[in-house]
Amino acid sequence: MMTHAAYDCDVLVIGGGIVGLSTAYAITRAAPGTRVTVLEKEGGPARHQTGRNSGVIHSGIYYRPGSLKARYALRGSAELVDFCAEHGIAHAVTGKLIVATERSELPRLHALVQRGREHGLPVRELGPAQITAYEPQVRGLAAIRVGTTGVCDFRAVAARLADEVEAAGGTVRYGSEVTAIDRRPWGVAVRTAGGPVVRARVLVNCAGLHSDRVARLAGDEPGVRIVPFRGEYYELARPELVRGLVYPVPDPAFPFLGVHLTRGVDGSVHVGPNAVPALAREGYGWPVVRPAELLSTLSWPGSWRIARRHWRYGAGEVHRSLSRRAFTLAVRRLLPAVREEDLRPSPAGVRAQAVLRDGTLVDDFLIREGPHTVHVLNAPSPAATASLPIGREVARRALRRARETGWRPPAVESGHCV
């Protein structure tokens, strides 16, 4: 058994997005003095899913009662607003409209009303005239308004979490890509590109787009494959057309919420995202192709089963990706006044979607454990909203695993990880 001094840290977190940083933050709060290190391959925090989403604080209305998504989004949205207020981070609780534009959507809209009420959310049903009272340029047959939805600067939230971790004695190391993981009876040894080996009692995998790969590096079979879906955004050249947040009625067969209109904390309005297959894990545009990663996606049986099952939906998304005119027509269902020239390209995001071998898109957050390891294998939207409670849950599991090595929470120790 290794001595305490032989470990470089107690808990090693891979991934400097909002979930990894929230986990490290929760560890420093639950067990002060615990030596925690975060390794992030990029030059700063929140460079991928966290920093490339629409900035929405989700209410939790979409998610099945009792699911982790529902529980953590409901709790996390309120906590996130409090966190932003405490730390002076730009945010606003604006409410949002979910708008039905076709009669076939009305039963799904009514089901959302019931689900919202089950969750205890402030949900108001609206007719066409009431829709235009909130959003004069939006048209629909019916809508619901959810009062607890908001917006914030998630990059700033992640940066603040990193600061809090370091203030509590932890370390966040940027430019530290993990290249090898060696699991031992006493814990894990992790090698980074161009860096020293880091020895830890417990490894926490919050690698997002690379979480399944990191799990396999650690010797654990994740049972899923991350299939990347790119979400493309436009910025509205006439932001005065939209006052707040406007969403379509989602199709429950897909984990995507559809193209929506989002007025951010800076007053700009973003339109999107769609959902098209990405040709690389970090494939933020069609020209970005990484053959090994594309082969990984294509060799997974679930990818082909998704394609066979949902090829019509996928073809429509690809068409809207390649044709701004087609994208504009889709937006006009909600916002008839929008013109093709109103849509200016904006940075895209990539969703890390876990897919089972049978082609099932994993719908809920997915956290799995192995000896000395905790893996967050599916944490797409609303993970940013739910990041604080997700972080506490992952921290709880990591600290329990650390105790299995003989570690005990320190009263308060000085010093921190390398």
Side-chain angles (χ1 to χ4, degrees):
M1 180 67 69
M2 286 178 60
T3 65
H4 178 74
Y7 290 99
D8 297 301
C9 58
D10 301 311
V11 181
L12 180 64
V13 179
I14 298 176
I18 200 167
V19 172
L21 291 168
S22 177
T23 297
Y25 171 74
I27 289 169
T28 65
R29 308 220 352 143
T34 302
R35 300 180 302 162
V36 58
T37 290
V38 179
L39 300 180
E40 166 56 44
K41 72 182 180 68
E42 304 295 353
R47 297 295 173 87
H48 294 288
Q49 289 186 109
T50 302
R52 289 175 169 265
N53 60 41
S54 53
V56 174
I57 303 173
H58 289 284
S59 66
I61 191 171
Y62 300 113
Y63 313 118
R64 177 176 48 82
S67 65
L68 292 180
K69 280 188 176 181
R71 288 162 45 200
Y72 292 165
L74 288 166
R75 192 180 311 154
S77 59
E79 291 183 15
L80 186 60
V81 169
D82 289 344
F83 185 90
C84 289
E86 178 184 353
H87 296 288
I89 296 169
H91 70 288
V93 180
T94 59
K96 78 172 177 184
L97 301 186
I98 304 173
V99 181
T101 58
E102 298 179 4
R103 291 196 174 277
S104 61
E105 297 172 334
L106 293 175
R108 301 205 304 269
L109 186 70
H110 294 149
L112 281 177
V113 172
Q114 296 306 313
R115 178 163 287 184
R117 289 173 178 162
E118 284 183 61
H119 289 324
L121 295 171
V123 178
R124 182 186 177 197
E125 298 181 75
L126 307 177
Q130 294 164 308
I131 292 172
T132 57
Y134 283 102
E135 291 284 354
Q137 298 298 328
V138 171
R139 298 292 181 268
L141 300 177
I144 59 178
R145 184 174 188 274
V146 188
T148 52
T149 304
V151 290
C152 76
D153 183 344
F154 281 118
R155 287 189 181 215
V157 172
R160 185 67 197 201
L161 288 169
D163 290 343
E164 293 291 312
V165 169
E166 294 187 316
T171 298
V172 182
R173 284 174 42 181
Y174 299 112
S176 299
E177 182 174 4
V178 171
T179 58
I181 300 171
D182 187 9
R183 183 158 47 195
R184 304 287 182 85
W186 45 262
V188 293
V190 175
R191 182 177 297 279
T192 60
V197 171
V198 182
R199 298 174 299 271
R201 297 175 185 274
V202 178
L203 169 71
V204 176
N205 169 15
C206 297
L209 287 160
H210 302 278
S211 58
D212 58 337
R213 182 180 65 84
V214 169
R216 287 193 296 274
L217 280 178
D220 294 321
E221 173 48 54
V224 299
R225 184 68 51 86
I226 297 298
V227 175
F229 287 89
R230 184 171 61 256
E232 296 161 333
Y233 291 91
Y234 289 92
E235 184 174 344
L236 201 58
R238 292 190 290 159
E240 66 273 11
L241 292 177
V242 179
R243 290 179 174 178
L245 310 180
V246 184
Y247 279 66
V249 179
D251 185 337
F254 303 97
F256 313 109
L257 298 180
V259 172
H260 46 270
L261 311 166
T262 307
R263 177 174 284 274
V265 291
D266 62 355
S268 65
V269 174
H270 282 82
V271 184
N274 56 2
V276 297
L279 305 181
R281 302 257 177 147
E282 297 168 18
Y284 295 113
W286 285 112
V288 182
V289 181
R290 292 183 179 156
E293 294 177 1
L294 180 58
L295 180 61
S296 173
T297 295
L298 295 177
S299 64
W300 184 242
S303 300
W304 293 100
R305 288 171 177 144
I306 292 172
R308 285 196 297 268
R309 198 175 301 156
H310 301 303
W311 68 271
R312 287 183 185 277
Y313 179 91
E317 292 292 282
V318 170
H319 178 52
R320 285 184 285 275
S321 171
L322 298 175
S323 167
R324 189 180 307 191
R325 180 176 180 275
F327 195 101
T328 305
L329 289 174
V331 177
R332 281 181 182 159
R333 293 180 55 198
L334 289 170
L335 191 67
V338 75
R339 303 186 299 255
E340 189 173 337
E341 58 266 28
D342 290 328
L343 301 181
R344 298 172 176 169
S346 190
V350 176
R351 178 190 182 103
Q353 177 62 54
V355 177
L356 299 178
R357 183 174 288 273
D358 66 2
T360 301
L361 301 170
V362 177
D363 183 54
D364 208 356
F365 299 141
L366 179 61
I367 306 169
R368 288 183 173 163
E369 299 179 47
H372 307 301
T373 57
V374 181
H375 303 287
V376 181
L377 295 169
N378 197 59
S381 178
T385 296
S387 56
L388 292 173
I390 292 174
R392 286 198 300 275
E393 172 61 19
V394 178
R396 182 187 67 80
R397 297 185 187 212
L399 292 172
R400 186 185 67 216
R401 289 285 176 183
R403 290 186 184 94
E404 293 172 357
T405 69
W407 171 85
R408 292 295 178 266
V412 169
E413 295 182 4
S414 60
H416 54 83
C417 295
V418 297

